[in-house]
Amino acid sequence: MSLTPSRGCLLDLPWEDILVPHVLCHLPLQQLLGLQRVSKAFQALVQLYLANMRCFDSSQIGLAVPRAAFLNLLKDNKVLQQLELQNCSDWLTDRELLPVITRNHHLHHIQLKGCAQLSCHALMVISLNCPNLRRLSLAHCEWVDSLSLRSLADRCKALEAVDLTACRQLKDEAICYLVQKCSRLKSLSLAVNANVGDVAVEETAKCCPELEHLDLTGCLRVKNDSIRTWLALPLSLTSRSRTAAAIGRGDQHVTGIPGGRRNWLLLRRTEGEIDPVGEAGPKGAHSSLWGCLTATAHL
């Protein structure tokens, strides 16, 4: 009998119990794709990993993900929980997205920022197939309309963060319906939408006691009083602070603070006080306060 220890191979380890959940999950997606070219066995291993992948982030592959690569990567996956497709925005349409959504009913985070070639039907399919959805970014998706947003609100009541930046079809009525149905919201962006006014902000303040971040950058119809109404409400037990990002033009100052024109404005509601920070920025604010502020608005 030989006393020389035999050399083991990585592929000899249990695939489903060891390699997929404990080894491959720590490798960047781009490296995994390269690993497929080593041998047929590694190709089979990577395909098994892709079929059991919980998170797909297109930014891990590159600035622009090819359509064919996207279709191949997700063709067998039925357990996705997080889907980030901002780097697929150049070509992503309903034809590519909807099969992925209908196969994955456990999604709780979807990022579609800038995916302008989708349609409102995509949002309805998301509503029907993702009842546990908690975070959704539709920033710069101008195809989002009131009907599809109502469908989302009716079926995805666990939503905690929604980004509707530059969804310019939406008006106060649609926003009001969303916040009435999704009272667990902690973060909401309505930025760059001239149709949003005081009614939406005040209804949001009334319906979402846990809301911590509200982005109103570019919402020129929103007046000071509406923002102050939200900031002045009592904080919930689970919320320690609130931040609002808003914009002022000319003589309109979001905080009502007299003085010159503000380039940006930060408001923080915490421990019963409202702290405005103007053009002075960190120089005029306590360092610990500045570290807590999370929302900035630019002209």
Side-chain angles (χ1 to χ4, degrees):
M1 176 183 293
S2 173
L3 297 179
T4 304
S6 60
R7 292 186 176 182
C9 174
L10 177 66
L11 294 174
D12 292 337
L13 294 172
W15 289 15
E16 295 189 16
D17 294 331
I18 302 295
L19 293 182
V20 169
H22 300 295
V23 178
L24 297 190
C25 63
H26 297 292
L27 295 178
L29 193 54
Q30 196 164 20
Q31 289 187 11
L32 286 173
L33 299 182
L35 192 62
Q36 289 188 107
R37 296 193 289 268
V38 173
S39 67
K40 290 184 178 180
F42 272 108
Q43 182 182 24
L45 174 61
V46 172
Q47 288 298 320
L48 177 64
Y49 170 78
L50 294 174
N52 291 275
M53 183 170 54
R54 298 296 195 272
C55 173
F56 177 79
D57 184 352
S58 60
S59 65
Q60 291 186 10
I61 301 177
L63 294 177
V65 179
R67 177 180 179 274
F70 170 80
L71 296 175
N72 183 60
L73 289 171
L74 298 180
K75 63 182 180 180
D76 298 319
N77 195 303
K78 298 180 181 179
V79 294
L80 276 176
Q81 296 179 2
Q82 185 170 335
L83 185 62
E84 301 194 30
L85 300 178
Q86 62 271 27
N87 286 27
C88 303
S89 59
D90 290 344
W91 52 263
L92 188 68
T93 66
D94 291 5
R95 183 178 180 182
E96 293 83 24
L97 177 64
L98 298 192
V100 176
I101 298 297
T102 54
R103 285 196 303 266
N104 291 275
H105 301 284
H106 302 290
L107 282 164
H108 58 70
H109 180 179
I110 299 177
Q111 164 70 267
L112 297 174
K113 180 179 179 180
C115 295
Q117 298 185 52
L118 296 173
S119 73
C120 56
H121 182 59
L123 186 54
M124 291 186 175
V125 172
I126 290 173
S127 305
L128 292 170
N129 289 276
C130 305
N132 300 316
L133 193 63
R134 297 201 300 270
R135 303 183 66 87
L136 176 63
S137 175
L138 298 169
H140 302 282
C141 294
E142 297 197 28
W143 45 265
V144 178
D145 61 9
S146 298
L147 184 60
S148 57
L149 190 69
R150 289 173 72 94
S151 176
L152 178 74
D154 284 335
R155 295 175 173 84
C156 301
K157 297 182 180 180
L159 280 167
E160 296 179 357
V162 180
D163 189 346
L164 298 172
T165 300
C167 294
R168 295 185 178 91
Q169 291 194 57
L170 301 178
K171 300 181 180 179
D172 282 351
E173 182 181 1
I175 303 303
C176 290
Y177 193 87
L178 173 68
V179 297
Q180 288 166 3
K181 295 289 185 177
C182 303
S183 58
R184 300 181 189 177
L185 282 174
K186 296 179 180 179
S187 176
L188 178 62
S189 175
L190 305 174
V192 199
N193 187 347
N195 293 319
V196 172
D198 295 333
V199 174
V201 176
E202 291 170 2
E203 189 68 16
T204 300
K206 181 176 70 175
C207 297
C208 301
E210 297 183 19
L211 193 69
E212 299 171 2
H213 175 80
L214 178 62
D215 192 346
L216 300 171
T217 307
C219 298
L220 303 181
R221 291 178 55 222
V222 177
K223 299 177 183 177
N224 302 352
D225 291 344
S226 298
I227 298 174
R228 286 183 175 277
T229 297
W230 174 64
L231 289 169
L233 288 174
L235 294 170
S236 70
L237 294 176
T238 58
S239 176
R240 300 301 300 167
S241 64
R242 289 187 180 137
T243 51
I247 188 168
R249 297 256 178 147
D251 295 330
Q252 297 178 359
H253 305 296
V254 179
T255 59
I257 300 173
R261 176 173 173 172
R262 305 298 186 189
N263 289 328
W264 45 261
L265 176 69
L266 289 168
L267 293 173
R268 182 170 182 260
R269 166 80 167 96
T270 178
E271 302 298 340
E273 297 181 358
I274 298 177
D275 298 313
V277 182
E279 289 176 320
K283 184 177 179 181
H286 191 279
S287 58
S288 62
L289 170 64
W290 184 257
C292 295
L293 294 171
T294 59
T296 306
H298 300 271
L299 284 179

